[in-house]
């Protein structure tokens, strides 16, 4: 197992499956893993808001018997005095056995990886990648729909959505058919599209969900990443366009599974929550066993 999880590009299928298999073992008997990493510390460096990712990493290391050292609010740390990311990370690497980094700049985790020699997990670098989210997404897909012969729609902000970029790379290694659904202005970045094409991905692009709904096993919905838009008017032009509700889903496959990395804003109506389509809260829950597995393998 490699020591750093920066991107799902070139992440071999075998390594992904090792994490998913370990997560399934943990899920089957979580108590057997409690305390197995007593005394180990996870350094949390979150330079951007986070709820699920931060809390599930925290829950994961604590369930394993370890603990966290947490940079906390950036305004309350020496970052506010102008300390560089490289210096902060190098120093926390001296306090902790592994690091989790979230940062608004694309490439931040790759940069930090040059400075630290403890395991490093990229928990989101701007509009770049979010590979540990992908592991829990794949775990959830495997549980509910299977990863073989998968038809998956990925809808919303494909341009700025880092969960999408990581997921698309990884799904390619499983041979999934990927249907990308977005307004033209939020289509996949050329760099991501290039990687998918190079890897022989089976992909198609669509402006409307209705065109592909009947073909799907899974629909992965994403939030429009408002904070990444250079211009609020551009955001307003696309906001609210891709919204699904129970009525719309009733016209599609009865066993379609709907996923979302969360947080949602208004792209999934609350009436979907009570349907059998909704698996996004289970998906969020899976963050703990999957991150326990990841930490167990990296540590
Ligand atoms: C995502 C993120 O931070 O990229 N959240 C998460 O980690 N579950 C998705 C988002 O913010 O829309």
């Amino acid at each position: 197992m490699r020591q750093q999880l920066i991107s799902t590009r070139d992440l071999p299928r075998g390594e992904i499956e090792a994490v998913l298999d370990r997560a399934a073992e943990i899920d089957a008997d979580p108590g057997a893993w409690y305390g197995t990493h007593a005394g180990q510390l996870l350094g949390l460096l979150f330079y951007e808001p986070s709820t699920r990712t931060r809390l599930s990493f925290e829950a994961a290391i604590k369930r394993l018997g370890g603990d966290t050292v947490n940079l906390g609010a950036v305004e309350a740390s020496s970052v506010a005095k102008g300390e560089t990311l490289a210096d902060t990370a190098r120093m926390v690497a001296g306090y902790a056995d592994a690091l989790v980094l979230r940062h608004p700049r694309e490439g931040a985790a790759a940069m930090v990886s040059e400075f630290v020699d403890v395991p490093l997990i990229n928990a989101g670098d701007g509009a770049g990648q979010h590979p540990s989210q992908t592991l829990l997404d794949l775990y959830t897909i495997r549980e509910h729909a299977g990863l073989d012969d998968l038809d998956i729609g990925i809808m919303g902000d494909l341009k700025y959505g880092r969960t999408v970029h990581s997921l698309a790379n990884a799904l390619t290694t499983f041979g999934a058919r990927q249907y990308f659904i977005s307004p033209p202005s939020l289509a996949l970045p050329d760099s991501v599209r290039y990687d998918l094409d190079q890897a022989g991905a089976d992909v198609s692009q669509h402006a409307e969900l209705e065109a592909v709904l009947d073909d799907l096993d899974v629909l992965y919905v994403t939030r429009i990443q408002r904070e990444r838009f250079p211009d609020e008017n551009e955001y307003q032009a696309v906001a609210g366009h891709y919204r699904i509700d129970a009525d719309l889903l009733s016209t599609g496959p009865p066993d379609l599974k709907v996923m979302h990395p969360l947080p949602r804003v208004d792209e999934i109506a609350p009436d979907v929550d009570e349907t059998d389509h909704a698996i996004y809260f289970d998906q969020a829950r899976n963050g703990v066993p999957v991150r326990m597995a990841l930490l167990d393998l990296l540590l």
Side-chain angles (χ1 to χ4, degrees):
M1 183 86 194
R2 69 193 64 209
Q3 289 304 296
Q4 304 195 322
L5 183 61
I6 308 299
S7 163
T8 58
R9 268 182 68 201
D10 311 320
L11 189 61
R13 180 171 170 156
E15 287 191 27
I16 295 173
E17 285 175 331
V19 178
L20 306 193
D21 291 345
R22 179 59 50 90
E25 277 177 65
I26 292 173
D27 230 352
D29 185 10
W33 299 82
Y34 292 174
T36 53
H37 289 274
Q40 294 198 294
L41 290 178
L42 186 62
L44 301 180
L45 303 170
F46 280 77
Y47 290 76
E48 262 195 351
S50 174
T51 304
R52 273 150 294 273
T53 304
R54 188 170 50 83
L55 291 182
S56 63
F57 267 116
E58 221 174 304
I61 189 68
K62 289 180 176 170
R63 296 264 192 222
L64 291 170
D67 208 337
T68 61
V69 284
N70 191 347
L71 179 70
V74 165
E75 317 81 64
S77 73
S78 281
V79 176
K81 301 180 190 169
E83 186 167 55
T84 64
L85 173 59
D87 279 1
T88 305
R90 196 158 23 189
M91 205 238 353
V92 180
Y95 300 157
D97 301 291
L99 297 181
V100 181
L101 173 70
R102 170 170 290 188
H103 197 277
R105 279 193 200 259
E106 199 168 330
M111 186 279 283
V112 164
S113 73
E114 309 279 332
F115 291 90
V116 300
D117 48 19
V118 298
L120 171 69
I121 298 165
N122 177 10
D125 60 324
Q129 286 262 328
H130 190 355
S132 70
Q133 176 71 41
T134 294
L135 294 172
L136 74 93
D137 293 343
L138 294 174
Y139 183 79
T140 307
I141 294 170
R142 191 168 83 166
E143 221 181 6
H144 288 274
L147 278 165
D148 297 325
D149 198 27
L150 179 71
D151 289 278
I152 181 169
I154 303 181
M155 183 169 83
D157 189 345
L158 313 181
K159 180 178 183 184
Y160 296 116
R162 56 198 175 195
T163 65
V164 171
H165 306 158
S166 289
L167 182 62
N169 285 143
L171 284 171
T172 301
T173 70
F174 288 89
R177 282 175 293 279
Q178 304 183 63
Y179 306 77
F180 293 108
I181 306 146
S182 76
S185 64
L186 294 182
L188 281 181
D190 290 342
S191 60
V192 175
R193 189 57 205 256
Y194 177 83
D195 287 342
L196 296 182
D197 289 343
Q198 288 293 306
D202 185 342
V203 300
S204 57
Q205 283 192 65
H206 309 271
E208 299 301 335
L209 173 62
E210 284 75 358
V212 299
L213 184 60
D214 283 340
D215 296 324
L216 303 181
D217 302 308
V218 172
L219 175 62
Y220 190 96
V221 183
T222 64
R223 177 179 70 87
I224 308 289
Q225 307 281 299
R226 183 177 197 161
E227 67 278 22
R228 311 234 185 267
F229 280 68
D231 177 355
E232 175 71 15
N233 290 329
E234 257 182 71
Y235 170 75
Q236 291 303 340
V238 289
H241 187 64
Y242 292 90
R243 178 180 160 87
I244 60 165
D245 58 20
D247 268 356
L248 173 69
L249 292 176
S250 70
T251 68
D255 49 7
L256 174 74
K257 300 300 177 199
V258 176
M259 298 176 64
H260 192 303
L262 302 176
R264 69 173 148 182
V265 182
D266 56 5
E267 55 279 2
I268 300 179
D271 67 2
V272 178
D273 299 0
E274 303 313 320
T275 70
D276 290 337
H277 301 296
I279 59 170
Y280 31 88
F281 292 116
D282 188 48
Q283 181 186 356
R285 189 207 70 90
N286 288 337
V288 177
V290 170
R291 289 180 168 122
M292 285 173 76
L294 179 61
L295 292 172
D296 179 57
L297 291 168
L298 287 175
L299 287 167

